[in-house]
Short mmCIF file of all heavy atoms in Angstrom, two decimals:
data_model
loop_
_atom_site.label_atom_id
_atom_site.label_comp_id
_atom_site.label_asym_id
_atom_site.label_seq_id
_atom_site.Cartn_x
_atom_site.Cartn_y
_atom_site.Cartn_z
N PHE R 1 107.38 80.58 94.33
CA PHE R 1 105.93 80.96 94.41
C PHE R 1 105.98 82.41 95.00
O PHE R 1 106.71 82.66 95.95
CB PHE R 1 105.12 80.00 95.22
CG PHE R 1 104.57 78.84 94.37
CD1 PHE R 1 104.99 77.50 94.82
CD2 PHE R 1 103.77 78.99 93.37
CE1 PHE R 1 104.38 76.52 94.11
CE2 PHE R 1 103.28 77.99 92.62
CZ PHE R 1 103.50 76.70 92.99
N SER R 2 104.98 83.25 94.53
CA SER R 2 104.89 84.64 95.19
C SER R 2 103.40 84.99 95.11
O SER R 2 102.84 84.79 94.00
CB SER R 2 105.78 85.54 94.41
OG SER R 2 105.59 86.91 94.87
N GLU R 3 103.00 85.66 96.07
CA GLU R 3 101.65 86.23 96.02
C GLU R 3 101.61 87.48 95.26
O GLU R 3 100.47 87.79 94.63
CB GLU R 3 101.26 86.53 97.54
CG GLU R 3 101.01 85.31 98.32
CD GLU R 3 100.90 85.69 99.89
OE1 GLU R 3 101.68 86.42 100.43
OE2 GLU R 3 99.86 85.17 100.36
N GLY R 4 102.61 88.12 95.03
CA GLY R 4 102.66 89.38 94.25
C GLY R 4 103.76 90.30 94.75
O GLY R 4 104.72 89.85 95.48
N GLY R 5 103.63 91.59 94.38
CA GLY R 5 104.64 92.56 94.91
C GLY R 5 105.24 93.38 93.74
O GLY R 5 104.97 93.01 92.51
N LYS R 6 105.96 94.42 94.04
CA LYS R 6 106.52 95.34 93.07
C LYS R 6 107.53 94.67 92.15
O LYS R 6 107.79 95.12 91.11
CB LYS R 6 107.16 96.57 93.74
CG LYS R 6 106.21 97.36 94.58
CD LYS R 6 105.21 98.09 93.73
CE LYS R 6 104.38 99.04 94.64
NZ LYS R 6 103.14 99.21 94.16
N LYS R 7 108.05 93.46 92.53
CA LYS R 7 108.99 92.82 91.62
C LYS R 7 108.33 92.50 90.26
O LYS R 7 109.03 92.33 89.26
CB LYS R 7 109.51 91.48 92.25
CG LYS R 7 108.55 90.50 92.57
CD LYS R 7 109.09 89.34 93.37
CE LYS R 7 108.12 88.59 94.17
NZ LYS R 7 107.50 89.32 95.26
N PHE R 8 107.07 92.38 90.19
CA PHE R 8 106.36 92.04 89.04
C PHE R 8 106.38 93.24 88.03
O PHE R 8 106.15 93.01 86.80
CB PHE R 8 104.91 91.47 89.24
CG PHE R 8 104.97 90.14 89.86
CD1 PHE R 8 104.97 89.93 91.23
CD2 PHE R 8 104.97 89.00 89.05
CE1 PHE R 8 105.05 88.63 91.80
CE2 PHE R 8 105.12 87.75 89.62
CZ PHE R 8 105.07 87.36 90.96
N ILE R 9 106.60 94.40 88.53
CA ILE R 9 106.73 95.54 87.47
C ILE R 9 107.94 95.30 86.75
O ILE R 9 107.90 95.32 85.42
CB ILE R 9 106.83 96.86 88.35
CG1 ILE R 9 105.56 97.15 88.98
CG2 ILE R 9 107.22 97.98 87.39
CD1 ILE R 9 105.58 98.44 89.91
N GLY R 10 109.11 94.92 87.29
CA GLY R 10 110.33 94.64 86.62
C GLY R 10 110.18 93.37 85.75
O GLY R 10 110.58 93.42 84.52
N LEU R 11 109.57 92.36 86.27
CA LEU R 11 109.36 91.12 85.48
C LEU R 11 108.58 91.34 84.24
O LEU R 11 108.66 90.55 83.24
CB LEU R 11 108.78 90.05 86.44
CG LEU R 11 109.79 89.43 87.54
CD1 LEU R 11 108.93 88.60 88.47
CD2 LEU R 11 110.96 88.73 86.89
N SER R 12 107.58 92.23 84.28
CA SER R 12 106.62 92.43 83.19
C SER R 12 107.44 93.28 82.06
O SER R 12 106.96 93.13 80.88
CB SER R 12 105.45 93.28 83.62
OG SER R 12 105.78 94.51 83.90
N ARG R 13 108.53 93.90 82.35
CA ARG R 13 109.16 94.65 81.43
C ARG R 13 110.48 94.14 80.94
O ARG R 13 110.94 94.50 79.85
CB ARG R 13 109.38 96.10 81.88
CG ARG R 13 108.17 96.82 82.24
CD ARG R 13 108.38 98.22 82.71
NE ARG R 13 107.16 98.94 83.35
CZ ARG R 13 107.26 99.97 84.02
NH1 ARG R 13 108.41 100.51 84.29
NH2 ARG R 13 106.10 100.36 84.43
N ASP R 14 111.14 93.42 81.79
CA ASP R 14 112.46 92.81 81.45
C ASP R 14 112.68 91.51 82.17
O ASP R 14 112.61 91.40 83.43
CB ASP R 14 113.52 93.87 81.97
CG ASP R 14 114.89 93.59 81.51
OD1 ASP R 14 115.25 92.53 81.06
OD2 ASP R 14 115.76 94.49 81.56
N PRO R 15 112.97 90.42 81.38
CA PRO R 15 113.11 89.13 81.96
C PRO R 15 114.43 88.91 82.62
O PRO R 15 114.60 87.93 83.38
CB PRO R 15 112.92 88.24 80.74
CG PRO R 15 113.48 88.95 79.67
CD PRO R 15 113.03 90.42 79.91
N ARG R 16 115.42 89.85 82.50
CA ARG R 16 116.73 89.73 83.15
C ARG R 16 116.66 89.99 84.65
O ARG R 16 116.08 91.00 85.01
CB ARG R 16 117.73 90.66 82.50
CG ARG R 16 117.98 90.33 81.02
CD ARG R 16 118.93 91.39 80.33
NE ARG R 16 118.25 92.65 80.38
CZ ARG R 16 118.82 93.87 80.36
NH1 ARG R 16 120.11 93.95 80.17
NH2 ARG R 16 118.21 94.98 80.35
N VAL R 17 117.16 89.00 85.39
CA VAL R 17 117.18 89.23 86.86
C VAL R 17 118.54 88.84 87.38
O VAL R 17 119.35 88.25 86.70
CB VAL R 17 116.05 88.24 87.50
CG1 VAL R 17 114.67 88.71 87.04
CG2 VAL R 17 116.34 86.87 87.20
N CYS R 18 118.58 89.24 88.66
CA CYS R 18 119.89 88.78 89.34
C CYS R 18 119.41 88.22 90.70
O CYS R 18 118.55 88.88 91.36
CB CYS R 18 120.94 89.93 89.43
SG CYS R 18 122.51 89.53 90.04
N LEU R 19 120.01 87.21 91.22
CA LEU R 19 119.73 86.84 92.51
C LEU R 19 121.02 86.48 93.22
O LEU R 19 122.03 86.21 92.60
CB LEU R 19 118.73 85.69 92.57
CG LEU R 19 118.89 84.49 91.76
CD1 LEU R 19 119.23 83.12 92.62
CD2 LEU R 19 117.56 84.24 90.94
N ALA R 20 120.93 86.67 94.58
CA ALA R 20 122.10 86.50 95.39
C ALA R 20 121.80 85.46 96.51
O ALA R 20 120.78 85.60 97.10
CB ALA R 20 122.71 87.71 95.98
N ILE R 21 122.74 84.54 96.73
CA ILE R 21 122.63 83.67 97.83
C ILE R 21 123.97 83.75 98.61
O ILE R 21 125.05 83.60 97.95
CB ILE R 21 122.42 82.19 97.36
CG1 ILE R 21 121.20 82.07 96.41
CG2 ILE R 21 122.27 81.21 98.58
CD1 ILE R 21 121.18 80.72 95.69
N PHE R 22 123.86 83.85 99.89
CA PHE R 22 125.13 84.11 100.71
C PHE R 22 125.02 83.73 102.10
O PHE R 22 123.92 83.73 102.68
CB PHE R 22 125.58 85.55 100.51
CG PHE R 22 124.51 86.50 100.90
CD1 PHE R 22 124.37 87.03 102.11
CD2 PHE R 22 123.57 86.97 99.87
CE1 PHE R 22 123.31 87.93 102.32
CE2 PHE R 22 122.56 87.85 100.12
CZ PHE R 22 122.38 88.35 101.44
N ASP R 23 126.16 83.49 102.67
CA ASP R 23 126.25 83.24 104.06
C ASP R 23 126.57 84.49 104.86
O ASP R 23 127.06 85.49 104.21
CB ASP R 23 127.44 82.28 104.38
CG ASP R 23 127.20 80.85 103.93
OD1 ASP R 23 126.09 80.54 103.48
OD2 ASP R 23 128.17 79.98 104.06
N LYS R 24 126.20 84.59 106.11
CA LYS R 24 126.50 85.67 106.93
C LYS R 24 127.99 85.85 106.92
O LYS R 24 128.85 84.95 107.08
CB LYS R 24 126.01 85.36 108.50
CG LYS R 24 126.33 86.43 109.39
CD LYS R 24 125.85 86.03 110.82
CE LYS R 24 126.25 87.05 111.77
NZ LYS R 24 125.72 86.66 113.11
N TYR R 25 128.52 87.13 106.91
CA TYR R 25 129.91 87.44 106.86
C TYR R 25 130.51 87.03 108.27
O TYR R 25 130.12 87.48 109.31
CB TYR R 25 130.17 88.92 106.60
CG TYR R 25 131.61 89.22 106.62
CD1 TYR R 25 132.42 88.96 105.59
CD2 TYR R 25 132.24 89.92 107.70
CE1 TYR R 25 133.71 89.31 105.56
CE2 TYR R 25 133.51 90.21 107.80
CZ TYR R 25 134.35 89.99 106.69
OH TYR R 25 135.59 90.22 106.66
N GLN R 26 131.64 86.28 108.11
CA GLN R 26 132.30 85.84 109.35
C GLN R 26 133.77 85.98 109.19
O GLN R 26 134.60 85.33 109.88
CB GLN R 26 131.94 84.40 109.73
CG GLN R 26 130.58 84.30 110.07
CD GLN R 26 130.22 82.81 110.41
OE1 GLN R 26 131.01 81.94 110.44
NE2 GLN R 26 128.98 82.55 110.81
N GLY R 27 134.22 86.80 108.14
CA GLY R 27 135.66 86.98 107.93
C GLY R 27 136.07 86.56 106.53
O GLY R 27 135.36 85.82 105.86
N PHE R 28 137.15 87.12 106.05
CA PHE R 28 137.64 86.81 104.65
C PHE R 28 137.98 85.43 104.46
O PHE R 28 137.81 84.97 103.29
CB PHE R 28 138.76 87.65 104.34
CG PHE R 28 138.49 89.10 103.94
CD1 PHE R 28 138.91 90.14 104.78
CD2 PHE R 28 137.77 89.36 102.85
CE1 PHE R 28 138.56 91.49 104.48
CE2 PHE R 28 137.52 90.77 102.53
CZ PHE R 28 137.94 91.71 103.35
N ASP R 29 138.24 84.70 105.46
CA ASP R 29 138.61 83.20 105.19
C ASP R 29 137.29 82.28 105.22
O ASP R 29 137.44 81.13 105.09
CB ASP R 29 139.59 82.75 106.29
CG ASP R 29 138.91 82.90 107.69
OD1 ASP R 29 138.10 83.81 107.94
OD2 ASP R 29 139.44 82.10 108.64
N LYS R 30 136.14 82.93 105.36
CA LYS R 30 134.92 82.24 105.38
C LYS R 30 133.80 82.76 104.39
O LYS R 30 132.61 82.55 104.58
CB LYS R 30 134.30 82.05 106.82
CG LYS R 30 135.19 81.35 107.74
CD LYS R 30 134.49 81.29 109.06
CE LYS R 30 135.36 80.40 110.05
NZ LYS R 30 136.44 81.00 110.64
N LEU R 31 134.32 83.44 103.36
CA LEU R 31 133.39 83.96 102.42
C LEU R 31 132.65 82.83 101.61
O LEU R 31 133.27 81.97 101.20
CB LEU R 31 134.08 84.93 101.47
CG LEU R 31 134.70 86.18 102.06
CD1 LEU R 31 135.56 86.98 101.05
CD2 LEU R 31 133.67 87.03 102.63
N CYS R 32 131.36 83.01 101.42
CA CYS R 32 130.61 82.05 100.72
C CYS R 32 129.26 82.67 100.13
O CYS R 32 128.47 83.05 100.90
CB CYS R 32 130.22 80.88 101.68
SG CYS R 32 129.87 79.34 100.74
N GLY R 33 129.25 82.76 98.84
CA GLY R 33 128.05 83.40 98.22
C GLY R 33 128.17 83.30 96.66
O GLY R 33 129.22 82.99 96.13
N LEU R 34 126.97 83.48 96.17
CA LEU R 34 126.74 83.37 94.69
C LEU R 34 126.01 84.60 94.25
O LEU R 34 125.05 85.07 94.92
CB LEU R 34 125.97 82.12 94.30
CG LEU R 34 126.41 80.78 94.64
CD1 LEU R 34 125.41 79.72 94.34
CD2 LEU R 34 127.73 80.53 93.98
N GLN R 35 126.35 85.14 93.06
CA GLN R 35 125.56 86.08 92.35
C GLN R 35 125.08 85.43 90.99
O GLN R 35 126.01 85.01 90.28
CB GLN R 35 126.38 87.42 92.13
CG GLN R 35 125.41 88.38 91.40
CD GLN R 35 126.19 89.78 91.34
OE1 GLN R 35 126.34 90.40 92.36
NE2 GLN R 35 126.50 90.11 90.11
N ILE R 36 123.86 85.32 90.85
CA ILE R 36 123.32 84.58 89.75
C ILE R 36 122.62 85.48 88.66
O ILE R 36 121.65 86.20 89.19
CB ILE R 36 122.50 83.45 90.12
CG1 ILE R 36 123.24 82.51 91.09
CG2 ILE R 36 121.84 82.65 88.99
CD1 ILE R 36 122.41 81.91 92.15
N SER R 37 123.04 85.50 87.53
CA SER R 37 122.29 86.32 86.49
C SER R 37 121.48 85.27 85.64
O SER R 37 121.78 84.12 85.45
CB SER R 37 123.21 86.89 85.40
OG SER R 37 124.01 87.92 86.21
N GLY R 38 120.23 85.65 85.35
CA GLY R 38 119.36 84.72 84.58
C GLY R 38 118.19 85.37 83.99
O GLY R 38 118.10 86.59 83.95
N LEU R 39 117.40 84.53 83.35
CA LEU R 39 116.24 85.01 82.64
C LEU R 39 115.00 84.42 83.29
O LEU R 39 114.99 83.23 83.56
CB LEU R 39 116.30 84.52 81.19
CG LEU R 39 117.46 85.08 80.33
CD1 LEU R 39 117.54 84.46 78.99
CD2 LEU R 39 117.19 86.68 80.24
N ALA R 40 114.10 85.24 83.62
CA ALA R 40 112.84 84.85 84.35
C ALA R 40 111.72 84.64 83.41
O ALA R 40 111.58 85.40 82.40
CB ALA R 40 112.51 85.89 85.42
N ARG R 41 110.79 83.78 83.74
CA ARG R 41 109.58 83.64 83.02
C ARG R 41 108.58 83.36 84.02
O ARG R 41 108.72 82.74 85.11
CB ARG R 41 109.62 82.63 81.84
CG ARG R 41 109.79 81.24 82.27
CD ARG R 41 109.96 80.22 81.11
NE ARG R 41 110.30 78.99 81.54
CZ ARG R 41 109.48 77.92 81.67
NH1 ARG R 41 108.31 78.05 81.41
NH2 ARG R 41 109.89 76.70 82.15
N LEU R 42 107.35 83.84 83.77
CA LEU R 42 106.16 83.56 84.59
C LEU R 42 105.48 82.35 84.10
O LEU R 42 105.08 82.28 82.84
CB LEU R 42 105.21 84.75 84.76
CG LEU R 42 105.96 86.05 85.29
CD1 LEU R 42 105.01 87.25 85.19
CD2 LEU R 42 106.29 85.76 86.73
N ILE R 43 105.16 81.48 85.00
CA ILE R 43 104.52 80.23 84.63
C ILE R 43 103.02 80.40 84.91
O ILE R 43 102.52 80.85 85.89
CB ILE R 43 104.93 78.97 85.50
CG1 ILE R 43 106.53 78.94 85.44
CG2 ILE R 43 104.34 77.77 85.12
CD1 ILE R 43 107.12 78.63 84.10
N GLU R 44 102.25 80.01 83.83
CA GLU R 44 100.77 80.25 83.92
C GLU R 44 100.21 79.32 85.02
O GLU R 44 100.58 78.13 85.04
CB GLU R 44 100.09 79.91 82.55
CG GLU R 44 98.71 80.14 82.56
CD GLU R 44 98.04 79.94 81.16
OE1 GLU R 44 98.73 80.09 80.12
OE2 GLU R 44 96.90 79.51 81.11
#
């Protein structure tokens, strides 16, 4: 859910998005994160 913002400029022109989820860096032995490519759609 979003109230609005400049992200909607990109969403209006290109459905391709990328999102990242990650933990705070605590060293190479504790790396944990995802980079997700996907397609966005706005729900009426």
Side-chain angles (χ1 to χ4, degrees):
F1 273 122
S2 174
E3 294 171 304
K6 300 291 186 206
K7 65 186 154 292
F8 287 94
I9 294 171
L11 290 172
S12 72
R13 298 181 192 165
D14 191 340
R16 294 173 302 158
V17 298
C18 190
L19 48 113
I21 306 167
F22 50 91
D23 290 354
K24 178 180 175 183
Y25 179 77
Q26 297 181 359
F28 282 113
D29 61 336
K30 293 183 174 80
L31 296 173
C32 200
L34 302 175
Q35 179 171 294
I36 301 147
S37 299
L39 297 171
R41 66 185 172 99
L42 298 173
I43 306 300
E44 186 174 326

